[in-house]
Amino acid sequence: MYSKAETLELRRKHIGPSCKVFFAKDPIKIVHARGQYMFDENGEKYLDCINNVAHVGHSHPQVTKAAVKQMELLNTNSRFLHDNLVEYAKRLTATLPEELSVCYFVNSGSEANDLALRLARQYSGHQDVITLDHAYHGHVTSLIDISPYKFNQLGKEGKKEFVHVAPSPDIYRGKYREDHQDPGSAYADDVKKIIEEAQKNGRKIAAFIAESMQSCGGQVIPPAGYFQKVAETIHKAGGVFIADEVQVGFGRVGKHFWGFQLQGEDFVPDIVTMGKPIGNGHPMSCVVTTRQIAEAFGASGLEYFNTFGGNPVSCAIGLAVLDVIEKEDLRRNATDVGNYLTGLLKEQKEKHPLVGDVRGVGLFVGVDLVKDRQKRTPATAEAQHIIYKLKERKILLSADGPYRNILKFKPPMCFSKEDAKFVVDQIDELLADLEEATGIRTTNRLPTTTQYKRKVPTEGSSQLDGLSENISHINGSACRQENGFCAESHAVPCKRIRT
């Protein structure tokens, strides 16, 4: 095995310079993982709080066994009949509303969203797309075009004429907040106005696309009724609703299998895209839609073929993931551990003025750090400091959102209450150190009965050296696995890793 230094040197020599690593000043070399733990070349164990790709746990033996068993028999393309393909399609669609019954298997979330746009445009006969501010839907050209998270970095030329950006339905930082009597309707009305304005200019809307819960946008949970009202408006305009479940699907929200189901039984998207957790690390993804949209796509006369999409090995792995979710009752675990984690974090909000908001469902949780609760000033440097200090304590967490101040929890679904308690205890200590050293506690005058008996670090102490580090070297997020630096000029003018 190469030494860490040798690995770094070979990476610099042979891997594209835009492909960045986490913690660039001291990257971690991971050699194996199991469950919710990752291990470096020295055998040091890290608690993984960010990996929603290893959905049922790293190196799950049942998933690995299914892959090896099928690979020993056959792997080929979907032009040959094979039971794995149809069995998996049957099992997968059984988790969705009845209308969503037709599958297209592909290899990544980006591929799935790109195909979803093709389906929408062919069905509607229109071109334009409405997307949410701060959204990220993938790394291919068609998706960079509809991802403000990316194209805002390109300046005024980044936004294409056929793209329309709606406000993120964020009730903590958005234009309609938690004190609004009906934020869902208010945000939906903004979408309606966008459509009306586009139509005045001769534009026609093919689709509205949104993550069922925004991840890169800052762990945003859309308010009740928002998707229903948007879908109604989009349908009247002749377009379709695309629910991007690449980050949050497969039971992560706990009480439902899909994030969009949080909106209620009366909401059914026209197209659902999925990826990341679908294969527990194996590259596979899927687009599921209605029979009507699928037939319109087929009517174009173009055959759709994907060399690796839906191959027997991928489908065997997908079936094993579904089996593990059910067998190990991971949705219940997401609910139980997620509620416990959220409760612990809300206790931190009562203790620490740096914590402005705690939000989430199941094992998809965000902590919005602020310098001032009244103004909700993002505590960007503080969030990055905490991420680096947690890494020193062998905990992997990330921060993201428009200001990179949201601590993001989206761990493997086997994450335990003990893991949650351990992480929050560490965050508690780090927040206390920061507040004492920066004077935030005094400024915000938040009463607390908790006494901190540890030594308070001073300006020059190692406890606070992260605050003076160049933020461009800090691990800023763990969204879609793209590994590229991002600099959003409209928010925080510094680089960050995107995954």
Side-chain angles (χ1 to χ4, degrees), residues 27-55:
I28 305 170
K29 183 175 181 178
I30 296 296
V31 297
H32 69 100
R34 179 60 64 99
Q36 64 272 48
Y37 300 103
M38 305 179 82
F39 300 83
D40 69 13
E41 77 279 15
N42 298 315
E44 293 284 354
K45 181 172 72 173
Y46 291 81
L47 177 60
D48 182 0
C49 302
I50 59 176
N51 207 319
N52 59 341
V53 177
H55 190 61

PDB file of all heavy atoms in Angstrom, residues 27-55:
ATOM      1  N   PRO A  27      -5.826  15.754   4.521  1.00  0.00           N
ATOM      2  CA  PRO A  27      -6.875  14.835   4.078  1.00  0.00           C
ATOM      3  C   PRO A  27      -6.777  13.479   4.763  1.00  0.00           C
ATOM      4  O   PRO A  27      -5.711  13.089   5.255  1.00  0.00           O
ATOM      5  CB  PRO A  27      -6.636  14.730   2.577  1.00  0.00           C
ATOM      6  CG  PRO A  27      -5.210  15.100   2.376  1.00  0.00           C
ATOM      7  CD  PRO A  27      -4.897  16.109   3.442  1.00  0.00           C
ATOM      8  N   ILE A  28      -7.893  12.792   4.789  1.00  0.00           N
ATOM      9  CA  ILE A  28      -7.954  11.476   5.422  1.00  0.00           C
ATOM     10  C   ILE A  28      -7.828  10.413   4.351  1.00  0.00           C
ATOM     11  O   ILE A  28      -8.492  10.476   3.311  1.00  0.00           O
ATOM     12  CB  ILE A  28      -9.287  11.289   6.176  1.00  0.00           C
ATOM     13  CG1 ILE A  28      -9.502  12.421   7.168  1.00  0.00           C
ATOM     14  CG2 ILE A  28      -9.323   9.946   6.890  1.00  0.00           C
ATOM     15  CD1 ILE A  28     -10.892  12.441   7.771  1.00  0.00           C
ATOM     16  N   LYS A  29      -6.995   9.418   4.601  1.00  0.00           N
ATOM     17  CA  LYS A  29      -6.889   8.270   3.706  1.00  0.00           C
ATOM     18  C   LYS A  29      -7.699   7.127   4.304  1.00  0.00           C
ATOM     19  O   LYS A  29      -7.321   6.554   5.319  1.00  0.00           O
ATOM     20  CB  LYS A  29      -5.424   7.863   3.518  1.00  0.00           C
ATOM     21  CG  LYS A  29      -5.259   6.694   2.532  1.00  0.00           C
ATOM     22  CD  LYS A  29      -3.792   6.394   2.257  1.00  0.00           C
ATOM     23  CE  LYS A  29      -3.674   5.252   1.250  1.00  0.00           C
ATOM     24  NZ  LYS A  29      -2.249   4.965   0.923  1.00  0.00           N
ATOM     25  N   ILE A  30      -8.816   6.820   3.675  1.00  0.00           N
ATOM     26  CA  ILE A  30      -9.700   5.769   4.174  1.00  0.00           C
ATOM     27  C   ILE A  30      -9.390   4.472   3.440  1.00  0.00           C
ATOM     28  O   ILE A  30      -9.320   4.442   2.202  1.00  0.00           O
ATOM     29  CB  ILE A  30     -11.179   6.152   3.959  1.00  0.00           C
ATOM     30  CG1 ILE A  30     -11.532   7.400   4.796  1.00  0.00           C
ATOM     31  CG2 ILE A  30     -12.100   4.992   4.318  1.00  0.00           C
ATOM     32  CD1 ILE A  30     -11.432   7.202   6.298  1.00  0.00           C
ATOM     33  N   VAL A  31      -9.206   3.375   4.190  1.00  0.00           N
ATOM     34  CA  VAL A  31      -8.852   2.095   3.569  1.00  0.00           C
ATOM     35  C   VAL A  31      -9.943   1.045   3.718  1.00  0.00           C
ATOM     36  O   VAL A  31      -9.995   0.089   2.945  1.00  0.00           O
ATOM     37  CB  VAL A  31      -7.518   1.560   4.123  1.00  0.00           C
ATOM     38  CG1 VAL A  31      -6.383   2.515   3.769  1.00  0.00           C
ATOM     39  CG2 VAL A  31      -7.580   1.357   5.632  1.00  0.00           C
ATOM     40  N   HIS A  32     -10.811   1.184   4.734  1.00  0.00           N
ATOM     41  CA  HIS A  32     -11.963   0.289   4.808  1.00  0.00           C
ATOM     42  C   HIS A  32     -13.029   0.910   5.707  1.00  0.00           C
ATOM     43  O   HIS A  32     -12.789   1.887   6.416  1.00  0.00           O
ATOM     44  CB  HIS A  32     -11.585  -1.116   5.284  1.00  0.00           C
ATOM     45  CG  HIS A  32     -11.164  -1.211   6.719  1.00  0.00           C
ATOM     46  ND1 HIS A  32     -12.003  -1.642   7.722  1.00  0.00           N
ATOM     47  CD2 HIS A  32      -9.983  -0.949   7.326  1.00  0.00           C
ATOM     48  CE1 HIS A  32     -11.359  -1.643   8.875  1.00  0.00           C
ATOM     49  NE2 HIS A  32     -10.128  -1.216   8.664  1.00  0.00           N
ATOM     50  N   ALA A  33     -14.224   0.364   5.624  1.00  0.00           N
ATOM     51  CA  ALA A  33     -15.344   0.897   6.402  1.00  0.00           C
ATOM     52  C   ALA A  33     -16.337  -0.218   6.669  1.00  0.00           C
ATOM     53  O   ALA A  33     -16.444  -1.182   5.899  1.00  0.00           O
ATOM     54  CB  ALA A  33     -16.023   2.036   5.645  1.00  0.00           C
ATOM     55  N   ARG A  34     -17.076  -0.055   7.759  1.00  0.00           N
ATOM     56  CA  ARG A  34     -18.120  -1.022   8.109  1.00  0.00           C
ATOM     57  C   ARG A  34     -19.188  -0.297   8.919  1.00  0.00           C
ATOM     58  O   ARG A  34     -18.874   0.430   9.857  1.00  0.00           O
ATOM     59  CB  ARG A  34     -17.531  -2.192   8.916  1.00  0.00           C
ATOM     60  CG  ARG A  34     -18.544  -3.249   9.368  1.00  0.00           C
ATOM     61  CD  ARG A  34     -19.255  -3.896   8.193  1.00  0.00           C
ATOM     62  NE  ARG A  34     -18.359  -4.644   7.328  1.00  0.00           N
ATOM     63  CZ  ARG A  34     -18.196  -5.972   7.378  1.00  0.00           C
ATOM     64  NH1 ARG A  34     -18.874  -6.674   8.256  1.00  0.00           N
ATOM     65  NH2 ARG A  34     -17.373  -6.573   6.551  1.00  0.00           N
ATOM     66  N   GLY A  35     -20.441  -0.500   8.538  1.00  0.00           N
ATOM     67  CA  GLY A  35     -21.528   0.150   9.255  1.00  0.00           C
ATOM     68  C   GLY A  35     -21.443   1.658   9.122  1.00  0.00           C
ATOM     69  O   GLY A  35     -21.366   2.207   8.025  1.00  0.00           O
ATOM     70  N   GLN A  36     -21.428   2.343  10.272  1.00  0.00           N
ATOM     71  CA  GLN A  36     -21.326   3.800  10.279  1.00  0.00           C
ATOM     72  C   GLN A  36     -19.898   4.276  10.601  1.00  0.00           C
ATOM     73  O   GLN A  36     -19.699   5.438  10.959  1.00  0.00           O
ATOM     74  CB  GLN A  36     -22.321   4.409  11.272  1.00  0.00           C
ATOM     75  CG  GLN A  36     -22.102   4.050  12.741  1.00  0.00           C
ATOM     76  CD  GLN A  36     -22.813   2.777  13.151  1.00  0.00           C
ATOM     77  OE1 GLN A  36     -22.731   1.757  12.484  1.00  0.00           O
ATOM     78  NE2 GLN A  36     -23.527   2.834  14.266  1.00  0.00           N
ATOM     79  N   TYR A  37     -18.922   3.389  10.429  1.00  0.00           N
ATOM     80  CA  TYR A  37     -17.544   3.738  10.769  1.00  0.00           C
ATOM     81  C   TYR A  37     -16.620   3.574   9.568  1.00  0.00           C
ATOM     82  O   TYR A  37     -16.770   2.656   8.761  1.00  0.00           O
ATOM     83  CB  TYR A  37     -17.037   2.859  11.916  1.00  0.00           C
ATOM     84  CG  TYR A  37     -17.863   2.998  13.174  1.00  0.00           C
ATOM     85  CD1 TYR A  37     -18.778   2.015  13.527  1.00  0.00           C
ATOM     86  CD2 TYR A  37     -17.747   4.133  13.985  1.00  0.00           C
ATOM     87  CE1 TYR A  37     -19.557   2.153  14.675  1.00  0.00           C
ATOM     88  CE2 TYR A  37     -18.518   4.274  15.125  1.00  0.00           C
ATOM     89  CZ  TYR A  37     -19.426   3.281  15.464  1.00  0.00           C
ATOM     90  OH  TYR A  37     -20.192   3.427  16.580  1.00  0.00           O
ATOM     91  N   MET A  38     -15.653   4.505   9.474  1.00  0.00           N
ATOM     92  CA  MET A  38     -14.633   4.454   8.437  1.00  0.00           C
ATOM     93  C   MET A  38     -13.268   4.417   9.118  1.00  0.00           C
ATOM     94  O   MET A  38     -13.083   4.988  10.199  1.00  0.00           O
ATOM     95  CB  MET A  38     -14.739   5.669   7.512  1.00  0.00           C
ATOM     96  CG  MET A  38     -16.108   5.843   6.883  1.00  0.00           C
ATOM     97  SD  MET A  38     -16.239   7.299   5.815  1.00  0.00           S
ATOM     98  CE  MET A  38     -15.506   6.627   4.322  1.00  0.00           C
ATOM     99  N   PHE A  39     -12.287   3.739   8.493  1.00  0.00           N
ATOM    100  CA  PHE A  39     -10.988   3.527   9.107  1.00  0.00           C
ATOM    101  C   PHE A  39      -9.881   3.997   8.179  1.00  0.00           C
ATOM    102  O   PHE A  39      -9.896   3.701   6.978  1.00  0.00           O
ATOM    103  CB  PHE A  39     -10.795   2.041   9.428  1.00  0.00           C
ATOM    104  CG  PHE A  39     -11.815   1.485  10.378  1.00  0.00           C
ATOM    105  CD1 PHE A  39     -13.054   1.058   9.913  1.00  0.00           C
ATOM    106  CD2 PHE A  39     -11.553   1.404  11.740  1.00  0.00           C
ATOM    107  CE1 PHE A  39     -14.008   0.548  10.781  1.00  0.00           C
ATOM    108  CE2 PHE A  39     -12.503   0.903  12.618  1.00  0.00           C
ATOM    109  CZ  PHE A  39     -13.742   0.481  12.137  1.00  0.00           C
ATOM    110  N   ASP A  40      -8.906   4.714   8.765  1.00  0.00           N
ATOM    111  CA  ASP A  40      -7.788   5.188   7.943  1.00  0.00           C
ATOM    112  C   ASP A  40      -6.664   4.167   7.902  1.00  0.00           C
ATOM    113  O   ASP A  40      -6.780   3.053   8.449  1.00  0.00           O
ATOM    114  CB  ASP A  40      -7.310   6.564   8.416  1.00  0.00           C
ATOM    115  CG  ASP A  40      -6.632   6.540   9.783  1.00  0.00           C
ATOM    116  OD1 ASP A  40      -6.289   5.447  10.292  1.00  0.00           O
ATOM    117  OD2 ASP A  40      -6.423   7.640  10.351  1.00  0.00           O
ATOM    118  N   GLU A  41      -5.560   4.538   7.254  1.00  0.00           N
ATOM    119  CA  GLU A  41      -4.463   3.585   7.045  1.00  0.00           C
ATOM    120  C   GLU A  41      -3.768   3.194   8.344  1.00  0.00           C
ATOM    121  O   GLU A  41      -3.039   2.194   8.387  1.00  0.00           O
ATOM    122  CB  GLU A  41      -3.448   4.176   6.053  1.00  0.00           C
ATOM    123  CG  GLU A  41      -2.502   5.238   6.601  1.00  0.00           C
ATOM    124  CD  GLU A  41      -3.125   6.622   6.682  1.00  0.00           C
ATOM    125  OE1 GLU A  41      -4.358   6.751   6.588  1.00  0.00           O
ATOM    126  OE2 GLU A  41      -2.364   7.603   6.853  1.00  0.00           O
ATOM    127  N   ASN A  42      -4.003   3.972   9.395  1.00  0.00           N
ATOM    128  CA  ASN A  42      -3.407   3.650  10.698  1.00  0.00           C
ATOM    129  C   ASN A  42      -4.381   2.925  11.622  1.00  0.00           C
ATOM    130  O   ASN A  42      -4.067   2.687  12.789  1.00  0.00           O
ATOM    131  CB  ASN A  42      -2.930   4.940  11.378  1.00  0.00           C
ATOM    132  CG  ASN A  42      -1.862   5.642  10.568  1.00  0.00           C
ATOM    133  OD1 ASN A  42      -0.925   5.015  10.069  1.00  0.00           O
ATOM    134  ND2 ASN A  42      -1.992   6.951  10.410  1.00  0.00           N
ATOM    135  N   GLY A  43      -5.568   2.599  11.097  1.00  0.00           N
ATOM    136  CA  GLY A  43      -6.551   1.896  11.911  1.00  0.00           C
ATOM    137  C   GLY A  43      -7.408   2.812  12.765  1.00  0.00           C
ATOM    138  O   GLY A  43      -8.223   2.329  13.560  1.00  0.00           O
ATOM    139  N   GLU A  44      -7.253   4.132  12.614  1.00  0.00           N
ATOM    140  CA  GLU A  44      -8.078   5.076  13.375  1.00  0.00           C
ATOM    141  C   GLU A  44      -9.524   5.027  12.874  1.00  0.00           C
ATOM    142  O   GLU A  44      -9.776   5.043  11.665  1.00  0.00           O
ATOM    143  CB  GLU A  44      -7.533   6.493  13.239  1.00  0.00           C
ATOM    144  CG  GLU A  44      -6.179   6.713  13.875  1.00  0.00           C
ATOM    145  CD  GLU A  44      -6.239   6.825  15.392  1.00  0.00           C
ATOM    146  OE1 GLU A  44      -7.367   6.848  15.938  1.00  0.00           O
ATOM    147  OE2 GLU A  44      -5.174   6.890  16.024  1.00  0.00           O
ATOM    148  N   LYS A  45     -10.455   4.993  13.805  1.00  0.00           N
ATOM    149  CA  LYS A  45     -11.874   4.867  13.468  1.00  0.00           C
ATOM    150  C   LYS A  45     -12.552   6.228  13.481  1.00  0.00           C
ATOM    151  O   LYS A  45     -12.417   7.001  14.420  1.00  0.00           O
ATOM    152  CB  LYS A  45     -12.571   3.942  14.477  1.00  0.00           C
ATOM    153  CG  LYS A  45     -14.048   3.728  14.196  1.00  0.00           C
ATOM    154  CD  LYS A  45     -14.652   2.651  15.103  1.00  0.00           C
ATOM    155  CE  LYS A  45     -14.797   3.127  16.540  1.00  0.00           C
ATOM    156  NZ  LYS A  45     -15.522   2.139  17.364  1.00  0.00           N
ATOM    157  N   TYR A  46     -13.296   6.528  12.398  1.00  0.00           N
ATOM    158  CA  TYR A  46     -14.046   7.775  12.280  1.00  0.00           C
ATOM    159  C   TYR A  46     -15.543   7.459  12.235  1.00  0.00           C
ATOM    160  O   TYR A  46     -15.965   6.561  11.509  1.00  0.00           O
ATOM    161  CB  TYR A  46     -13.667   8.515  10.998  1.00  0.00           C
ATOM    162  CG  TYR A  46     -12.263   9.073  10.988  1.00  0.00           C
ATOM    163  CD1 TYR A  46     -11.170   8.254  10.697  1.00  0.00           C
ATOM    164  CD2 TYR A  46     -12.021  10.419  11.267  1.00  0.00           C
ATOM    165  CE1 TYR A  46      -9.879   8.761  10.676  1.00  0.00           C
ATOM    166  CE2 TYR A  46     -10.740  10.938  11.264  1.00  0.00           C
ATOM    167  CZ  TYR A  46      -9.672  10.102  10.965  1.00  0.00           C
ATOM    168  OH  TYR A  46      -8.397  10.609  10.954  1.00  0.00           O
ATOM    169  N   LEU A  47     -16.310   8.226  12.991  1.00  0.00           N
ATOM    170  CA  LEU A  47     -17.760   8.091  12.940  1.00  0.00           C
ATOM    171  C   LEU A  47     -18.278   8.899  11.753  1.00  0.00           C
ATOM    172  O   LEU A  47     -18.065  10.101  11.667  1.00  0.00           O
ATOM    173  CB  LEU A  47     -18.394   8.601  14.242  1.00  0.00           C
ATOM    174  CG  LEU A  47     -19.921   8.594  14.290  1.00  0.00           C
ATOM    175  CD1 LEU A  47     -20.473   7.191  14.117  1.00  0.00           C
ATOM    176  CD2 LEU A  47     -20.412   9.195  15.609  1.00  0.00           C
ATOM    177  N   ASP A  48     -18.975   8.236  10.843  1.00  0.00           N
ATOM    178  CA  ASP A  48     -19.446   8.853   9.605  1.00  0.00           C
ATOM    179  C   ASP A  48     -20.865   9.394   9.802  1.00  0.00           C
ATOM    180  O   ASP A  48     -21.819   8.630   9.916  1.00  0.00           O
ATOM    181  CB  ASP A  48     -19.422   7.806   8.492  1.00  0.00           C
ATOM    182  CG  ASP A  48     -19.838   8.349   7.139  1.00  0.00           C
ATOM    183  OD1 ASP A  48     -20.154   9.557   7.056  1.00  0.00           O
ATOM    184  OD2 ASP A  48     -19.844   7.572   6.168  1.00  0.00           O
ATOM    185  N   CYS A  49     -20.982  10.714   9.819  1.00  0.00           N
ATOM    186  CA  CYS A  49     -22.289  11.361   9.997  1.00  0.00           C
ATOM    187  C   CYS A  49     -22.824  11.952   8.696  1.00  0.00           C
ATOM    188  O   CYS A  49     -23.848  12.643   8.713  1.00  0.00           O
ATOM    189  CB  CYS A  49     -22.182  12.489  11.030  1.00  0.00           C
ATOM    190  SG  CYS A  49     -21.605  11.956  12.643  1.00  0.00           S
ATOM    191  N   ILE A  50     -22.140  11.711   7.590  1.00  0.00           N
ATOM    192  CA  ILE A  50     -22.485  12.433   6.361  1.00  0.00           C
ATOM    193  C   ILE A  50     -22.780  11.535   5.168  1.00  0.00           C
ATOM    194  O   ILE A  50     -23.241  12.009   4.141  1.00  0.00           O
ATOM    195  CB  ILE A  50     -21.352  13.398   5.960  1.00  0.00           C
ATOM    196  CG1 ILE A  50     -20.042  12.640   5.730  1.00  0.00           C
ATOM    197  CG2 ILE A  50     -21.175  14.479   7.011  1.00  0.00           C
ATOM    198  CD1 ILE A  50     -18.902  13.521   5.249  1.00  0.00           C
ATOM    199  N   ASN A  51     -22.541  10.233   5.282  1.00  0.00           N
ATOM    200  CA  ASN A  51     -22.547   9.404   4.085  1.00  0.00           C
ATOM    201  C   ASN A  51     -23.911   8.790   3.813  1.00  0.00           C
ATOM    202  O   ASN A  51     -24.214   7.685   4.253  1.00  0.00           O
ATOM    203  CB  ASN A  51     -21.489   8.305   4.202  1.00  0.00           C
ATOM    204  CG  ASN A  51     -20.994   7.869   2.845  1.00  0.00           C
ATOM    205  OD1 ASN A  51     -21.772   7.733   1.906  1.00  0.00           O
ATOM    206  ND2 ASN A  51     -19.691   7.661   2.730  1.00  0.00           N
ATOM    207  N   ASN A  52     -24.730   9.512   3.059  1.00  0.00           N
ATOM    208  CA  ASN A  52     -26.037   8.982   2.683  1.00  0.00           C
ATOM    209  C   ASN A  52     -25.970   8.090   1.455  1.00  0.00           C
ATOM    210  O   ASN A  52     -26.998   7.674   0.921  1.00  0.00           O
ATOM    211  CB  ASN A  52     -27.035  10.121   2.444  1.00  0.00           C
ATOM    212  CG  ASN A  52     -26.597  11.079   1.349  1.00  0.00           C
ATOM    213  OD1 ASN A  52     -25.431  11.136   0.994  1.00  0.00           O
ATOM    214  ND2 ASN A  52     -27.531  11.844   0.830  1.00  0.00           N
ATOM    215  N   VAL A  53     -24.767   7.783   0.993  1.00  0.00           N
ATOM    216  CA  VAL A  53     -24.585   6.829  -0.102  1.00  0.00           C
ATOM    217  C   VAL A  53     -24.536   5.413   0.456  1.00  0.00           C
ATOM    218  O   VAL A  53     -25.231   4.515  -0.036  1.00  0.00           O
ATOM    219  CB  VAL A  53     -23.311   7.153  -0.902  1.00  0.00           C
ATOM    220  CG1 VAL A  53     -23.091   6.114  -1.995  1.00  0.00           C
ATOM    221  CG2 VAL A  53     -23.405   8.548  -1.509  1.00  0.00           C
ATOM    222  N   ALA A  54     -23.731   5.208   1.491  1.00  0.00           N
ATOM    223  CA  ALA A  54     -23.691   3.909   2.167  1.00  0.00           C
ATOM    224  C   ALA A  54     -24.937   3.803   3.054  1.00  0.00           C
ATOM    225  O   ALA A  54     -24.866   3.807   4.283  1.00  0.00           O
ATOM    226  CB  ALA A  54     -22.414   3.780   2.988  1.00  0.00           C
ATOM    227  N   HIS A  55     -26.073   3.704   2.415  1.00  0.00           N
ATOM    228  CA  HIS A  55     -27.370   3.910   3.061  1.00  0.00           C
ATOM    229  C   HIS A  55     -27.638   2.926   4.202  1.00  0.00           C
ATOM    230  O   HIS A  55     -28.047   3.331   5.296  1.00  0.00           O
ATOM    231  CB  HIS A  55     -28.458   3.784   1.998  1.00  0.00           C
ATOM    232  CG  HIS A  55     -29.819   4.192   2.433  1.00  0.00           C
ATOM    233  ND1 HIS A  55     -30.125   5.462   2.864  1.00  0.00           N
ATOM    234  CD2 HIS A  55     -30.985   3.496   2.495  1.00  0.00           C
ATOM    235  CE1 HIS A  55     -31.410   5.535   3.164  1.00  0.00           C
ATOM    236  NE2 HIS A  55     -31.947   4.355   2.954  1.00  0.00           N
TER     237      HIS A  55
END
